[in-house]
Amino acid sequence: MRMGIFVGNYVEICSREDGFLGSYYVAKVVGRVGKGKLMVEYLSLLDDDGKELLKEEVEVAEVRPVPPLIRVSASAGFNVLDKVDAFDNDGWWVGRVTGRRDASNYYVYFDSSGDEFTYPISRLRLHQEYENGHWVPSNSHQKGVNLERDFNQIDDKSCSSSLDAIH
């Protein structure tokens, strides 16, 4: 079952471009373009001039709803090998926790590039897959996890504030 995506919805676009595989970018659907295509406006990417938010045509297959916010408390933190998304270069990149540097910073390894970087917990989220119309956390991460809101409650203010929090 695929969730209905409508003009005005906030979504994530899964990049299939070389060098960007395994990354997701938040965008707002601004229109439909023919069968199976949408026009989106990214919240964090700028056009070639660097003056306006980037708008582009994308395949519906590259689009998923914005995942619900799952809070991971600093005290519970992440475990080694937890699958996470790290916010970097204006998007969310899928990786695995390889260790803890200190109380609030984690080492994350990215299969797509073979790189490992350190991120504060504020720039990490538990990775989730959208399967059959439902969000499924990639880990059975019970301790310290709080499903804060459903993706249907995402709006201009909440989407912008979640990006502001990591900048």
Side-chain angles (χ1 to χ4, degrees):
M1 179 169 94
R2 185 114 175 121
M3 181 194 126
I5 296 175
F6 304 99
V7 172
N9 286 157
Y10 285 94
V11 295
E12 287 188 344
I13 310 302
C14 179
S15 180
R16 295 183 179 175
E17 291 184 35
D18 286 339
F20 295 93
L21 289 174
S23 63
Y24 294 87
Y25 296 87
V26 178
K28 184 175 186 175
V29 177
V30 294
R32 292 201 174 271
V33 184
K35 188 174 182 171
K37 292 191 177 194
L38 300 170
M39 179 63 70
V40 299
E41 181 177 67
Y42 293 94
L43 271 60
S44 60
L45 300 178
L46 299 176
D47 63 12
D48 290 338
D49 295 335
K51 296 179 182 177
E52 295 185 24
L53 292 174
L54 176 64
K55 288 184 184 177
E56 77 173 352
E57 212 174 277
V58 297
E59 300 284 336
V60 171
E62 298 172 9
V63 178
R64 70 181 196 174
V66 173
L69 180 62
I70 295 178
R71 294 252 184 231
V72 176
S73 70
S75 61
F78 292 102
N79 298 313
V80 171
L81 298 181
D82 276 353
K83 195 170 185 182
V84 296
D85 299 332
F87 192 81
D88 202 347
N89 294 320
D90 299 318
W92 292 100
W93 297 75
V94 180
R96 287 216 178 262
V97 172
T98 55
R100 194 171 190 163
R101 180 174 164 194
D102 54 39
S104 60
N105 292 283
Y106 293 84
Y107 296 106
V108 177
Y109 177 80
F110 301 94
D111 287 329
S112 61
S113 65
D115 292 323
E116 182 179 62
F117 298 105
T118 304
Y119 293 93
I121 196 168
S122 62
R123 292 174 66 110
L124 298 174
R125 68 183 187 189
L126 192 62
H127 181 75
Q128 301 174 72
E129 293 292 338
Y130 191 65
E131 298 174 358
N132 300 319
H134 301 282
W135 284 104
V136 179
S138 63
N139 308 83
S140 55
H141 199 107
Q142 302 293 325
K143 186 177 162 191
V145 172
N146 174 31
L147 187 59
E148 187 164 288
R149 68 172 171 259
D150 187 86
F151 60 84
N152 290 324
Q153 296 171 335
I154 301 281
D155 58 18
D156 285 335
K157 184 178 176 186
S158 63
C159 206
S160 297
S161 63
S162 76
L163 285 175
D164 291 344
I166 50 185
H167 282 295

